[in-house]
Amino acid sequence: MQARDVMTTHVISVTPATRTRDAIELMLAHHLSGLPVLDEAGKLVGILSEGDFVRRSELGTEKHRSRFIAFILGPGRAAHDYTKSHARFVRGVMTEEVIAVSEDTSLSDLVALLEKHAIKRVPVMRGDELVGMVTRSDLLRALVAASRKREESMDDGAIKERILAELASEGWAPSSCIGVEVKDGAVDLTGTIFDARQRLALKVAVENTPGVKAVHDRLVWIDPGSGLVIDAPEENSDGNAAAS
C-alpha cells in the first residue's frame, strides 16, 4: 500500500497569520492533533501540532533555564523559546522543518519516517502541492479495512494449506513438530513446542488466517533444559478465538 491509499484528502489548514487561539479551537473542534500551515499561495511552510503548545506562558510551563545553561546556549536559543511560548500567531509557534512524503511513498517507508522523527502525521505532496495528510488514525483505519478483507471465506482444506505454508515460512515455528486439523473453520493445533512463547505465536498465526473461526490449543511444551513436559493450558470458557 502507498500513501495515496490511506491519506485524508480533505485537509484543514491554517496560515502563518492565524491566531494561535483560533488554531487551537480549530484543532479541538475537528479532533485534530496537528495542522499544516500554508502561505497565501497555498505552499506548505510549516506544521502545527499539540506539542507546539506544551510550553506556553499562559500555562506557566515555559522553559526556565539556569544562567549557566542560558549562557552556553546563547541568546538566540532563549529568544526562540520566548517566541514559542508567547507568540499570538501561528508563525511564531509552528515547526518550519516539514517532513513530507509523495503519493507513491510506501506505507513501510512512511511508518519508518514517523518512527525515526517521532511524529504523528506527515503531509503528502504532489510536487509543491499539498494533496493529503497521513496520521496514525489513518493507519489504524487502513489496518481495520485490511483485517476485514482477510476475513474472506475459505474451505477447510484451503485454510489448512494456508496455515502450513505460513508456519513453514517462519523460522521460529517448529513446523515439523506441529499438527494442524481443520473442521468447519475450527483449527486443532497439536504437537510439540520447545519454548513457551511459541504457543502464542502459533495461535496468532492461525487466528490471522482467513476463514478461521476458532483455535483449539492442544500443544505440549517440552522444556529442553529440564525435559519437563507441560500440557496445553485449560482453554477459556469460550475455548476459542472468536471470529469477527
Side-chain angles (χ1 to χ4, degrees):
M1 296 179 72
Q2 299 175 319
R4 63 165 55 88
D5 300 316
V6 302
M7 69 183 186
T8 297
T9 55
H10 177 63
V11 180
I12 298 173
S13 63
V14 292
T15 72
T18 302
R19 289 184 176 274
T20 54
R21 184 182 64 188
D22 294 337
I24 293 171
E25 290 178 346
L26 192 62
M27 291 166 67
L28 292 173
H30 294 276
H31 306 287
L32 300 171
S33 62
L35 296 167
V37 184
L38 308 181
D39 65 13
E40 294 180 354
K43 181 180 179 181
L44 181 66
V45 293
I47 288 287
L48 191 67
S49 71
E50 295 168 327
D52 292 317
F53 295 106
V54 171
R55 296 286 189 177
R56 291 293 297 183
S57 60
E58 299 93 331
L59 301 176
T61 57
E62 66 269 41
K63 290 182 179 179
H64 297 286
R65 305 182 190 277
S66 68
R67 290 185 178 181
F68 176 74
I69 296 298
F71 174 77
I72 295 297
L73 294 177
R77 181 58 179 270
H80 171 78
D81 291 345
Y82 181 87
T83 299
K84 290 278 286 187
S85 61
H86 290 76
R88 292 292 178 264
F89 297 94
V90 167
R91 68 171 68 91
V93 183
M94 69 183 190
T95 299
E96 296 182 8
E97 297 78 18
V98 180
I99 298 168
V101 299
S102 65
E103 295 172 281
D104 59 358
T105 299
S106 70
L107 288 194
S108 177
D109 290 341
L110 189 152
V111 169
L113 274 178
L114 295 181
E115 291 182 333
K116 178 180 179 180
H117 298 281
I119 54 179
K120 297 180 179 180
R121 70 203 61 78
V122 62
V124 183
M125 309 296 293
R126 183 185 299 152
D128 291 332
E129 179 188 2
L130 175 68
V131 294
M133 291 283 289
V134 176
T135 68
R136 292 179 180 180
S137 294
D138 293 318
L139 294 174
L140 290 179
R141 281 189 284 270
L143 177 60
V144 170
S147 178
R148 287 174 177 167
K149 188 175 181 180
R150 291 172 66 96
E151 295 300 325
E152 60 193 28
S153 178
M154 297 177 64
D155 62 43
D156 290 345
I159 291 173
K160 180 175 180 178
E161 288 182 8
R162 181 75 69 89
I163 292 172
L164 292 176
E166 176 68 14
L167 298 185
S169 70
E170 295 294 338
W172 55 262
S175 54
S176 62
C177 301
I178 301 299
V180 176
E181 294 299 331
V182 185
K183 183 176 181 180
D184 298 329
V187 179
D188 272 4
L189 278 177
T190 59
T192 305
I193 57 175
F194 303 95
D195 188 307
R197 292 168 292 187
Q198 290 174 316
R199 184 186 302 281
L200 181 56
L202 287 166
K203 292 176 71 173
V204 168
V206 173
E207 290 166 349
N208 282 337
T209 304
V212 171
K213 299 176 181 178
V215 182
H216 299 289
D217 176 6
R218 310 190 194 286
L219 298 166
V220 174
W221 170 32
I222 298 179
D223 182 10
S226 64
L228 184 65
V229 177
I230 302 175
D231 291 331
E234 288 289 332
E235 294 183 341
N236 295 329
S237 57
D238 62 3
N240 305 319
S244 300

